[in-house]
Amino acid sequence: MAHLISLSSVAVLVSPDTPLQLGVDSGQQFCLQSLPSMERLPLQYTVCVAHNVKAAHQEAVQQLFRHSRELPNMNALWLPFWKLLANVDSGPKVERELRTFANRLRRHQLGEGVISLNEHSTTLLSDMDHDYLNSRKRGMSKRLTRDLPLVKLLNISITLSPFLGVDTTQFHTSLMDGTEAYWLSLPSAPQGKLIPVMSQWRGKFCVKLNITNPGAVSWFLDRVGSLEAHLGMEYVMLEGGEGNLFEEQALRPPQDLAGDKYISLMADLATRIGDSTIMTAGTRSSHKPLFVRMTPLQSDWSPMGLKGIIPSLLHHTLLGYNFLIPDAVGGSLSGDLVTDEELFIRWLEITAFLPVISFHTPPWVCGEDRVLNLTRAYIAKHQRDVVPLIEKYAEEWQMTGNPIYRPMWWLSPSDPMTFTIDDQFLIGDEVLVAPVVEKGAVQRDIYLPDGGFQWQDSQNAQVFDGGTFLQDYPVPLEGVAVFLRRS
Ligand SMILES: *[C@@H]1O[C@H](CO)[C@@H](O)[C@H](O)[C@H]1NC(C)=O
Ligand SMILES: *[C@@H]1O[C@H](CO)[C@@H](O)[C@H](O)[C@H]1NC(C)=O
Ligand SMILES: CC(=O)N[C@H]1CO[C@H](CO)[C@@H](O)[C@@H]1O
């Protein structure tokens, strides 16, 4: 049974316990449908009707989020995140790569930032701790103590997931010491022994942490604690909590892990780690002091690439997720380095206005001096102009639930012109950002919403009335159109 709802000034709140599919049907109607296997479960939803789209949104936020809203560690906004590109097979080699990379950043006057390690590099470094601990037990050299300053050249972010390889000693140990219940398990026969369920993660056979088991959660937190003691990392990224249909079907019952339950328990785990934890997904956790990493995008100009950034930003922030780490400049989905210099520059220009700038392709790889200069300039601009604004509107968000980043309709909620603009955004209600998202373009159309005030171009101080449509407004490759509200 499909329910059709046409979007005007309504918000639809769906019960979190109802699995459903969401789509737009052939008649361009927004459509919610329960899954075929769940036909007997009625769709449960609440419809909020309001006089305009902003009021509908605000009402929905009041209905949905009754918790007090907490801020994550705002220091993260000041520093760009740099992905360590290391394709090596041992902890000492990861350390060497870290040192080389930190020196390179410094040589290019990009010395302040966070180096982020993927899960593989994190595992290699943590195995090294393991060796170190063993060697210390045998009274041997204090290797890691000596090396620690090398790792500590910059702030570090590590990556963990709830998966553990079936070929690791940790897993084998857990089969022997009776902690196999730490892993999602199924009985081998109706009353039989529980056997861990094997799944796959990043191409490897793994078991997955049973996040409803308190012993398993303590084990995980201990692991984070020992990594912290040895690496001194400032940030922890948790990947892999997203639902998995196979898992949900194979493990149902128990109902305790059905649907979005896993990711929501993982958000609890993340807040126990601290207020500098980054999640890759979230469900009703926007009030928690966490960061969310937006989905990786393609390195192109399509809606799956650069054109997808602003719609995704607005989507997250309207749902209350404001503390976003956008995908790396130029896109990182393929894992390849970006070679299109124009794409890199336009992408950088957008992310400079988002909460955190992150890199996968280093700027010295993508282009010549110009790209490096622009990278330094936009990082400085982010720190000088954008971070203070985010801090200001983070306070407003805590008090009112209003998003930090806003669509054009926020200021002009009865003007249909504003409803479909997906290539401009507002920071609070005072800065309008209109980046170029078309390849080769050095001009773009811009709509300045009418909120009863004027807008001033931050570059040339020209002033326009609200409600003005600027056609083919010039925006050179090295610039972004930014308008400031004049009351
Ligand atoms: C997870 O652990 C809990 C508590 O030990 C147990 O009751 C439950 O059956 C486990 N669930 C799965 C899917 O392994
Ligand atoms: C980069 O910046 C430096 C110093 O600000 C300047 O001398 C140089 O000409 C710039 N290079 C390019 C290609 O813009
Ligand atoms: C080694 C290093 O760069 N540490 C910095 C990490 O970030 C904090 C602020 O969040 C700085 O105070 C440290 O100096």
Side-chain angles (χ1 to χ4, degrees), residues 422-462:
D422 63 359
D423 58 0
Q424 299 178 194
F425 59 90
L426 297 161
I427 308 180
D429 56 9
E430 59 184 287
V431 173
L432 185 154
V433 184
V436 168
V437 298
E438 297 290 342
K439 184 176 174 59
V442 287
Q443 56 196 21
R444 56 159 291 164
D445 295 345
I446 299 168
Y447 185 64
L448 303 171
D450 185 7
F453 42 77
Q454 294 180 309
W455 293 99
Q456 180 169 37
D457 185 324
S458 67
Q459 295 291 320
N460 59 19
Q462 243 185 303

Side-chain angles (χ1 to χ4, degrees), residues 391-447:
E391 287 173 337
K392 172 177 169 187
Y393 285 98
E395 261 178 52
E396 182 182 323
W397 170 74
Q398 277 193 294
M399 285 185 303
T400 63
N402 290 341
I404 296 176
Y405 292 91
R406 301 171 185 175
M408 293 303 121
W409 51 254
W410 196 268
L411 288 179
S412 198
S414 304
D415 176 0
M417 274 285 279
T418 61
F419 295 169
T420 52
I421 297 176
D422 63 359
D423 58 0
Q424 299 178 194
F425 59 90
L426 297 161
I427 308 180
D429 56 9
E430 59 184 287
V431 173
L432 185 154
V433 184
V436 168
V437 298
E438 297 290 342
K439 184 176 174 59
V442 287
Q443 56 196 21
R444 56 159 291 164
D445 295 345
I446 299 168
Y447 185 64

Side-chain angles (χ1 to χ4, degrees), residues 70-208:
E70 289 181 72
L71 301 182
N73 177 4
M74 300 292 275
N75 288 336
L77 308 190
W78 290 95
L79 302 172
F81 277 58
W82 301 93
K83 182 171 271 157
L84 178 73
L85 304 168
N87 190 13
V88 292
D89 56 7
S90 76
K93 287 184 189 158
V94 174
E95 276 208 320
R96 199 154 57 230
E97 295 280 325
L98 256 175
R99 185 166 27 151
T100 311
F101 189 57
N103 284 336
R104 262 207 171 151
L105 285 171
R106 195 156 322 122
R107 204 162 59 234
H108 291 296
Q109 290 123 52
L110 293 165
E112 295 225 296
V114 180
I115 298 192
S116 49
L117 302 169
N118 64 14
E119 193 177 8
H120 183 61
S121 300
T122 303
T123 308
L124 291 174
L125 283 181
S126 69
D127 289 351
M128 208 164 76
D129 294 346
H130 193 74
D131 296 345
Y132 160 66
L133 284 178
N134 287 342
S135 69
R136 193 167 63 166
K137 272 187 209 136
R138 293 196 303 267
M140 286 164 64
S141 73
K142 294 191 171 183
R143 255 199 56 258
L144 218 106
T145 318
R146 200 193 66 218
D147 286 355
L148 203 55
L150 297 183
V151 180
K152 277 310 299 167
L153 290 169
L154 284 132
N155 277 323
I156 304 243
S157 144
I158 63 163
T159 305
L160 298 172
S161 78
F163 294 96
L164 182 66
V166 292
D167 56 356
T168 56
T169 32
Q170 281 145 309
F171 179 60
H172 291 173
T173 315
S174 90
L175 287 181
M176 284 179 303
D177 66 10
T179 56
E180 71 268 22
Y182 284 8
W183 316 107
L184 294 177
S185 307
L186 283 176
S188 53
Q191 301 300 323
K193 192 171 149 40
L194 284 175
I195 307 283
V197 176
M198 193 149 77
S199 49
Q200 261 201 342
W201 171 245
R202 302 224 183 280
K204 291 213 166 92
F205 289 111
C206 292
V207 288
K208 190 171 185 184

